[in-house]
Amino acid sequence: MRQLHKFSSKFFFIAILIAAIFCILTCRVEAQRIIRRDITRPLTGADSVKPPIKNVNPPRVIVNATDTSGIPDSAGLLNDSLPNQKIDTFSLKLSKDSLDGPVNYSAEDSAVILVQDKKIYLYGKTKTEYKDISLTAPQVELDQQSQVLTAYNSKDSTGQVTEEAHFTQGENAFTSDTIRYNFKTQKGLTKNTITQQGEMFVHGTFVKKVSESVTYVKEGLFTTCNLDEPHFAFKANKLKVINQKLAVSGPAHPEFEGVPVPIYLPFGFYPLSQGRRSGLLPPQFATNEQFGLGLEGLGYYKVMNDYWDVKLYGNIYSYGGWSANLNPTYRKRYRYSGQFNFGLQSTKFNFKGDPDYFKNKSYTLTWNHSADSRARPGTSFSANVNASTTTYNRYVPNSPQLNYQNLLGSSIAYSKTWAGKPYNLTVSANHSQNNQSRIVNLSLPDIGFSVSTLYPFQSKESAGTKKWYEQLGVAYTGNFRNQVSFYDSAFKLRNLIDTLQWGARHSIPITLSLPPILGGAIMVSPSISYSQVWINQKFRRKWNDAAQKLDTVITKGFFIDQQSSMGLSFNTAIFGTYQFKRSKIYAIRHVIRPSLSINYQPDLSRKHYYTEKVDTTGYTARFSEFEGSLYGGFSEGRYGGMSFQVDNNLEMKLRPKKSKNEDEVIDSTKKPEFRKIRLIDGYGFSTGYNFFADSMKLSPLQLYFRTNLFDKINISASATMDPYQTDDRGRDIDKYAWNGDKFKLGRITTGSVSLSTNFQSKPKDEGKEKEKQTQLKDMKNDPALMGDQQRLLDYMRQNPAEFVDFNVPWSFSLSYSLYFREQFKADYSGFEKIFTSSANFNGSFSLTPKWMFTMNGYYDLDTRKLQTFQMSISREMHCWQMSINVTPIGPYRYFNFTISPKSGILQDLKVNRTRSFYTGY
C-alpha cells in the first residue's frame, strides 16, 4: 500500500505540474496574440475609423516603442526563463478574413494600445510594413477590427505641414496629407496626394486606390515639375491612372504658375509606361529663306520586336524641297548592336523663274555596327560607314558642322585570330571622299594576313637559360588591296575601270635577342628584313619638245620591286638627378635614351628610277616609275651607314606640403608622399649617315617635342631640318649649311605645332556631376540603350543650347595647329613653302546663376577670317529651359528661339522659331 500510495502521489504531482505548464503556455500565447505587433486575426466591422487618441480618453496602456517594461505583466510571463517560441505548435483556428501576412509597426516616440477596442496609435516617425507595403508617417491609427490604417501628417503652430505621410507598394509610391488604407481589400483613400510615374508627377486633391494598379483622381494635375506647387501642369477634374502604363482624363487644359490657359482638350491620354513605344513623331514648324515654310521631323517610330526598331521621318518645304530618312536600329545583348540610316534630299532654292533658283538631289548612307567580343572569341566584325554625295552636307539647313565637313571615311572590317596558333586574318572594305574636290576612293577588298614571330630553333621542353640561337625569330606580314577612284560628278563604269589599281606588300622580318652587355647596361638587337611589293602600273614622264611640256604615260601590267636590309642596334638609358636641399623642389631627374643602329641596304630599286628633262632650260629631275601606285616603290641607292637617335624626358619631384594647422596630428607611421611632375614628356632628334652615298651623306634631322604643362596645356611640335645649302632653284647641293659665310645648322623644310587646352570651374554640386557621369557610363555600356543614345547625341548636336550644363559655372577650350612644308613650284623652278594654320575655340560661362552664354567657332589664320561662329544664350527655368541660338557667319546663317520642358517625354512640347538665310559659298 505504501508503494502504491507513493506511486499515486508522484503521478498526481506530475499531472498537476503538466496542467500548470499547459495553463501558463496557453495564457502566454493568448497574451502575446493580443499585444504583439503582428496582427493575425482582425475582426470584420464598419469601414469608419475613429479619430486619433487625442480626441478620446478611454482607458489605455502607454508603451514606449523601444521598451516593453510598461506592459502589465502580473503573471510574469514576459520575464520568465522560457524561450520565445517563434512557431505556435497549438492548432489555432483562424477566420477566413485573416490577413495572409504579419503587420510590423514601430514608432520613435510612443505606441498607444487599446486592448479592448483592438486599436493601436503610433506617434513620432512611425513605420508600418505589410508584405510589399511600407508606410511612414508622423501619426498612425491602426484598427484591427476593420483592418483599416489611417495616417496623418503633422503641422506646426502656423498650420504649415512639417512632415507628410509616405506610402510605398512595390515600385509605386506617393505622398499625402491623409492616408486611409484597408489591408484586406487593398483599397484606400488619400487627400492631397503626389505620386511619380516615370518622369511624370501626378497631383490629386482626392485619390481613391481601388486595386494594386488602378487609381482614380479627383481634381488632378499632370506635370514633369517636381515641386509641390508645380510651375506648369495639365489640369483635369477626373483622372484614371494605371500604374506604369497610362492615364486617361476628361477635359483638360494647361496651367502656368496656377494661371489657366484657355486651351482645352476634350480628353487626355498620357502614356506612363517606360521603354520603347511605337507612335507618330510630331513635326515642328520652320521658316527658311531658301526652302520656304516647312514642317521638320514629321514621321513614325515603330518597335518591331525586342531587337529591332525603325524610325521613318522627313522634312517638307513650300518651295518643293523635301528630305526623308530611314533609321533602323538593332541590338542583341552580349551579341551585337548597330544602327543604319539612309537619307534622300531634294533641295530646291526659291521658285522656278527666280534668278537664284537651284535644284539638287543627294543622298547619305551611314551604318554603325559593333559585335561583343564575348559572342565569338577570336572573331570580330565592325562597321563604321559614312558616305554621301559630295553635295549632301552642303545643303543641310541649320547645321554649320555638317556644312563644313568635307572629309568622310568608312570602314567595314572582319578579323579572325586562330586560338593557339600565330595566324591573324583581316578583311576590310574602306572608303574616303573629299567633298571639296569631289574625289571618291574605294578600297575593296583590303586583305591582311600576318604570322606572329616564330622561334624555329627553340626547344619544346627547355630548362634554364636559353641558347642564343633559340632567340632567333621569324615573322610575316602581307597586305593585298584593290582601289578605284572617281569624281562623283563624272561617274562612269569605263572611267571606274581605268582608275582601278591593285597591289600587294610582303614583309619578312628576322630578329634575334641577344643578352645585354656591360652588365646589362646596353641592349643589343641584330635584325634582317626582306620586303617586296607588287604593282600593277608604271607611271613615266616624258618631255614633249613640240608642246614644250611634260607628258605622262601609264603602262598596265605586273611589276615587282623589292628591298632587303640588315642591321645591328644598341640601346641604353642614362639617368641624371639633381637634388635641392632647401627648396620645395626635392629633385629634378633627366633621362636620356640614346640608340645607335648600323644598317646595310643594297640598291635593288635602281632600275625603276629615271632622269627626265622638266623645262626648256634643260633642267632635269629624278623620278620613280612607280610614282602614284598604291604601295609605291622603294628608295634608290645603296645604303651603308648608321642612324642615331636621342630621346629625353625631364621630371621634377616636389616635397610633401606641410600642414598649416598646428593642431593637426601627423601619422608618423606613414611615409610622406612626394608629388611627381613631368616637365617635358619627350624631346629629341634622329638622323643618319650613309657611307656609300656619293654625295649628301648626312640625312635630314628629325626634331620633336611634346609636353603637358600643369596637366592642362598639351603642346607637341615636330620639324625636319635639311643640313645642306641650296642652289638658285632651291634644290640641295653637296655643301653643309654651316660651311657658308654665316653659320647655320640648316633650314626647316617641314614642321608642325599643335596646342590644346581645356579649363573649367568645379561643379556646383559634386554629387550631381558624379551621378551624370555614372548615367552616361551606364548608357554607353548597355547595348539596349545604344539606339536611344545615338538619337540623343544627334539631337544634342543639332540643338546644343538645349543641353547646357548649369552645374559648371564656366568652361573654355582652345586648340591651335600650324603646319608648313616645302613643295615644287608648278614650273619646277624651285620650292615654295605652304602654310596652314587654324584655331578652334568654344566656351561657356554663367552670366547669372540662371543665365548661361556659350560659343564656339573656327578661325582660319591663312585667310584671316572667322569661318564659323555660333553662340547661344540659355535660361534655366527649373523644369523648363529657354535658348536663343545665332549663327551670324557662314553660308547658312540662322536665328533660333526655343522654349521647351526639360523632360524627355515632353520634348516635342516646345515653342520654336527659326529663320535661316543662305549667303552662298
Side-chain angles (χ1 to χ4, degrees):
M1 294 295 292
R2 291 181 179 179
Q3 292 179 353
L4 179 62
H5 177 72
K6 291 181 179 180
F7 177 79
S8 300
S9 301
K10 292 179 179 180
F11 178 80
F12 180 75
F13 177 78
I14 293 173
I16 293 176
L17 180 61
I18 293 174
I21 294 175
F22 178 81
C23 293
I24 292 173
L25 291 177
T26 304
C27 295
R28 180 185 180 90
V29 171
E30 182 65 16
Q32 288 185 346
R33 188 178 66 85
I34 295 176
I35 67 174
R36 68 178 181 173
R37 297 177 183 179
D38 297 345
I39 304 174
T40 59
R41 187 181 179 276
L43 302 176
T44 59
D47 292 336
S48 59
V49 179
K50 294 182 180 181
I53 191 65
K54 61 183 179 182
N55 295 329
V56 296
N57 191 22
R60 62 182 182 176
V61 180
I62 300 178
V63 184
N64 188 283
T66 59
D67 187 7
T68 59
S69 60
I71 301 178
D73 187 17
S74 60
L77 300 179
L78 299 180
N79 298 318
D80 62 1
S81 59
L82 294 176
N84 184 15
Q85 299 294 328
K86 297 183 179 179
I87 301 176
D88 192 353
T89 59
F90 291 93
S91 177
L92 299 178
K93 186 177 181 180
L94 302 178
S95 63
K96 296 181 179 180
D97 59 349
S98 298
L99 297 178
D100 57 356
V103 178
N104 302 318
Y105 58 87
S106 63
E108 186 177 282
D109 186 356
S110 60
V112 178
I113 302 175
L114 304 181
V115 178
Q116 295 180 354
D117 295 338
K118 296 186 178 181
K119 291 184 178 180
I120 301 175
Y121 296 91
L122 306 176
Y123 297 94
K125 295 184 179 180
T126 69
K127 184 176 183 180
T128 307
E129 295 179 341
Y130 169 69
K131 297 174 67 174
D132 63 340
I133 298 174
S134 177
L135 172 70
T136 59
Q139 183 177 326
V140 170
E141 175 187 340
L142 186 61
D143 191 331
Q144 183 184 6
Q145 298 184 36
S146 62
Q147 301 180 2
V148 173
L149 178 145
T150 305
Y152 305 91
N153 63 6
S154 62
K155 299 181 180 180
D156 57 15
S157 58
T158 62
Q160 298 293 326
V161 177
T162 58
E163 187 178 358
E164 295 177 318
H166 299 271
F167 183 92
T168 303
Q169 184 175 13
E171 297 180 355
N172 304 315
F174 59 83
T175 302
S176 303
D177 288 349
T178 304
I179 298 175
R180 296 181 62 197
Y181 185 78
N182 191 302
F183 286 106
K184 187 62 181 179
T185 63
Q186 292 195 1
K187 295 181 179 181
L189 183 65
T190 65
K191 184 178 179 181
N192 296 331
T193 302
I194 302 175
T195 182
Q196 184 176 2
Q197 301 283 333
E199 294 185 66
M200 190 74 74
F201 293 88
V202 183
H203 297 240
T205 304
F206 299 98
V207 176
K208 184 177 181 180
K209 182 178 176 63
V210 298
S211 68
E212 185 178 351
S213 59
V214 179
T215 305
Y216 291 94
V217 181
K218 183 179 181 181
E219 298 179 8
L221 297 175
F222 261 91
T223 180
T224 57
C225 183
N226 60 359
L227 298 180
D228 293 343
E229 297 182 1
H231 292 109
F232 82 102
F234 293 93
K235 186 173 184 180
N237 190 40
K238 295 182 179 180
L239 290 167
K240 179 180 179 180
V241 180
I242 302 177
N243 292 339
Q244 305 302 329
K245 289 187 177 180
L246 59 90
V248 182
S249 73
H253 66 276
E255 285 188 353
F256 289 89
E257 297 288 354
V259 179
V261 178
I263 301 176
Y264 285 84
L265 301 175
F267 62 91
F269 182 86
Y270 313 90
L272 302 176
S273 60
Q274 303 296 309
R276 302 175 299 157
R277 297 182 299 274
S278 300
L280 291 172
L281 301 175
Q284 67 179 22
F285 182 77
T287 303
N288 192 290
E289 186 179 18
Q290 288 72 40
F291 302 141
L293 303 178
L295 295 176
E296 297 180 345
L298 176 64
Y300 187 81
Y301 174 74
K302 175 65 177 176
V303 178
M304 307 300 292
N305 52 40
D306 292 339
Y307 309 109
W308 281 84
D309 57 49
V310 180
K311 183 171 70 169
L312 177 64
Y313 63 98
N315 309 327
I316 185 170
Y317 302 96
S318 59
Y319 289 170
W322 57 270
S323 65
N325 289 271
L326 179 65
N327 180 211
T329 304
Y330 57 91
R331 68 198 66 82
K332 192 169 185 180
R333 187 181 292 271
Y334 307 124
R335 295 297 298 276
Y336 53 79
S337 61
Q339 71 166 355
F340 180 88
N341 180 71
F342 179 71
L344 294 174
Q345 184 174 251
S346 178
T347 305
K348 290 184 179 180
F349 285 176
N350 303 315
F351 290 103
K352 287 185 178 180
D354 190 283
D356 295 328
Y357 175 76
F358 176 80
K359 182 179 180 180
N360 179 73
K361 290 186 178 181
S362 56
Y363 72 88
T364 182
L365 175 65
T366 61
W367 178 33
N368 294 290
H369 176 91
S370 61
D372 196 316
S373 59
R374 295 168 292 184
R376 298 184 63 185
T379 303
S380 67
F381 177 78
S382 63
N384 186 6
V385 177
N386 185 12
S388 69
T389 54
T390 55
T391 58
Y392 181 88
N393 288 350
R394 182 179 301 179
Y395 300 116
V396 176
N398 307 332
S399 182
Q401 291 86 358
L402 284 179
N403 298 151
Y404 281 93
Q405 187 178 0
N406 290 323
L407 300 178
L408 301 180
S410 306
S411 176
I412 303 174
Y414 168 84
S415 66
K416 179 175 178 56
T417 301
W418 282 264
K421 297 182 180 180
Y423 311 125
N424 181 68
L425 174 67
T426 303
V427 181
S428 64
N430 302 287
H431 147 267
S432 64
Q433 70 180 66
N434 189 315
N435 292 342
Q436 190 71 26
S437 63
R438 308 191 72 172
I439 295 179
V440 181
N441 298 314
L442 293 177
S443 177
L444 176 70
D446 193 338
I447 303 174
F449 181 77
S450 63
V451 179
S452 302
T453 304
L454 301 175
Y455 299 93
F457 302 107
Q458 184 174 348
S459 302
K460 294 182 179 181
E461 297 180 0
S462 60
T465 305
K466 295 181 181 180
K467 304 295 184 180
W468 67 269
Y469 54 84
E470 292 183 333
Q471 302 295 320
L472 182 67
V474 181
Y476 169 79
T477 302
N479 297 93
F480 177 83
R481 181 186 303 170
N482 278 317
Q483 180 175 298
V484 293
S485 302
F486 59 90
Y487 288 92
D488 72 332
S489 58
F491 178 78
K492 292 182 180 180
L493 183 59
R494 184 183 64 182
N495 297 340
L496 197 67
I497 296 176
D498 291 340
T499 62
L500 174 64
Q501 288 194 64
W502 60 266
R505 183 185 183 98
H506 310 274
S507 178
I508 303 176
I510 301 175
T511 58
L512 178 62
S513 298
L514 297 179
I517 61 176
L518 298 180
I522 300 178
M523 303 295 295
V524 182
S525 301
S527 63
I528 300 175
S529 66
Y530 173 79
S531 301
Q532 186 182 90
V533 293
W534 297 349
I535 302 172
N536 76 317
Q537 68 178 27
K538 288 184 178 181
F539 182 88
R540 295 185 71 97
R541 292 177 173 87
K542 185 69 176 178
W543 178 255
N544 189 331
D545 292 324
Q548 296 294 304
K549 66 181 184 67
L550 281 172
D551 293 335
T552 57
V553 178
I554 297 177
T555 305
K556 297 288 186 177
F558 177 74
F559 309 99
I560 296 177
D561 193 11
Q562 53 191 347
Q563 173 184 276
S564 64
S565 64
M566 59 186 68
L568 184 66
S569 62
F570 304 87
N571 300 275
T572 187
I574 302 173
F575 299 87
T577 303
Y578 182 81
Q579 293 187 351
F580 297 84
K581 295 183 178 180
R582 297 180 180 179
S583 175
K584 295 181 178 179
I585 302 174
Y586 176 74
I588 293 180
R589 188 176 73 166
H590 180 203
V591 182
I592 307 174
R593 294 183 175 87
S595 63
L596 174 68
S597 61
I598 302 173
N599 301 281
Y600 173 75
Q601 177 181 304
D603 187 5
L604 303 180
S605 302
R606 182 178 181 87
K607 60 182 179 180
H608 300 302
Y609 282 80
Y610 63 96
T611 303
E612 187 60 44
K613 178 181 175 181
V614 297
D615 60 14
T616 57
T617 63
Y619 189 80
T620 61
R622 192 80 171 159
F623 300 98
S624 170
E625 62 182 4
F626 294 141
E627 182 181 353
S629 61
L630 285 182
Y631 290 100
F634 297 107
S635 60
E636 68 170 333
R638 185 177 58 162
Y639 181 86
M642 64 178 183
S643 59
F644 183 71
Q645 179 179 355
V646 178
D647 180 61
N648 303 262
N649 67 55
L650 203 61
E651 296 177 340
M652 179 174 63
K653 184 181 290 187
L654 300 179
R655 299 181 189 274
K657 293 183 178 180
K658 295 183 179 179
S659 175
K660 296 181 180 180
N661 186 4
E662 297 181 355
D663 298 332
E664 182 179 354
V665 178
I666 300 176
D667 189 354
S668 59
T669 61
K670 294 184 179 180
K671 294 182 179 180
E673 295 182 358
F674 291 86
R675 187 159 60 99
K676 293 183 179 180
I677 299 177
R678 297 182 69 91
L679 299 177
I680 302 177
D681 293 335
Y683 66 96
F685 69 93
S686 63
T687 185
Y689 192 88
N690 186 3
F691 294 99
F692 291 161
D694 55 359
S695 62
M696 292 182 285
K697 298 182 178 182
L698 182 63
S699 301
L701 274 73
Q702 306 294 330
L703 311 173
Y704 63 91
F705 174 88
R706 62 183 184 278
T707 186
N708 186 6
L709 295 179
F710 315 110
D711 292 330
K712 286 294 183 182
I713 304 176
N714 293 301
I715 302 175
S716 61
S718 63
T720 301
M721 178 180 290
D722 193 336
Y724 296 100
Q725 299 181 24
T726 59
D727 57 14
D728 55 354
R729 289 176 175 260
R731 298 194 306 177
D732 290 347
I733 60 176
D734 192 17
K735 288 185 179 181
Y736 292 117
W738 51 83
N739 289 338
D741 297 335
K742 297 181 180 179
F743 179 79
K744 292 173 57 179
L745 289 177
R747 75 182 195 282
I748 304 295
T749 58
T750 61
S752 65
V753 177
S754 62
L755 180 148
S756 63
T757 184
N758 181 27
F759 298 94
Q760 72 174 30
S761 62
K762 292 183 178 180
K764 297 178 181 178
D765 189 344
E766 295 284 353
K768 184 183 294 185
E769 181 68 17
K770 291 181 179 179
E771 181 181 356
K772 173 185 173 183
Q773 298 298 329
T774 302
Q775 292 176 352
L776 292 175
K777 184 178 180 180
D778 293 341
M779 179 178 289
K780 183 178 180 181
N781 294 334
D782 191 349
L785 300 177
M786 198 198 75
D788 297 333
Q789 179 193 14
Q790 187 61 40
R791 282 188 285 270
L792 178 61
L793 292 176
D794 293 340
Y795 186 82
M796 291 175 65
R797 281 192 290 267
Q798 298 174 8
N799 306 273
E802 297 182 23
F803 297 88
V804 177
D805 189 359
F806 284 89
N807 194 37
V808 180
W810 62 267
S811 65
F812 177 76
S813 63
L814 173 69
S815 63
Y816 169 79
S817 64
L818 168 67
Y819 174 75
F820 66 92
R821 61 185 174 86
E822 283 187 347
Q823 70 175 20
F824 267 116
K825 294 181 180 179
D827 58 357
Y828 294 95
S829 61
F831 289 89
E832 60 181 353
K833 286 189 177 180
I834 306 298
F835 284 85
T836 302
S837 59
S838 61
N840 291 273
F841 61 91
N842 61 75
S844 64
F845 64 91
S846 298
L847 300 173
T848 68
K850 299 293 184 179
W851 285 93
M852 178 72 75
F853 177 80
T854 62
M855 62 176 181
N856 64 81
Y858 169 79
Y859 186 82
D860 190 343
L861 279 78
D862 297 338
T863 60
R864 298 184 180 180
K865 290 183 179 180
L866 189 62
Q867 299 294 342
T868 62
F869 181 74
Q870 290 179 282
M871 60 181 179
S872 63
I873 299 177
S874 303
R875 175 66 161 87
E876 156 67 0
M877 302 169 65
H878 187 254
C879 51
W880 284 65
Q881 184 166 303
M882 182 189 70
S883 64
I884 302 174
N885 306 306
V886 180
T887 301
I889 295 175
Y892 284 100
R893 305 181 183 185
Y894 75 97
F895 168 84
N896 170 264
F897 171 81
T898 302
I899 180 171
S900 61
K902 290 182 179 179
S903 173
I905 62 175
L906 298 180
Q907 178 178 301
D908 299 309
L909 183 66
K910 61 181 178 181
V911 178
N912 182 71
R913 178 62 174 169
T914 302
R915 292 295 303 272
S916 300
F917 309 92
Y918 179 71
T919 59
Y921 282 86

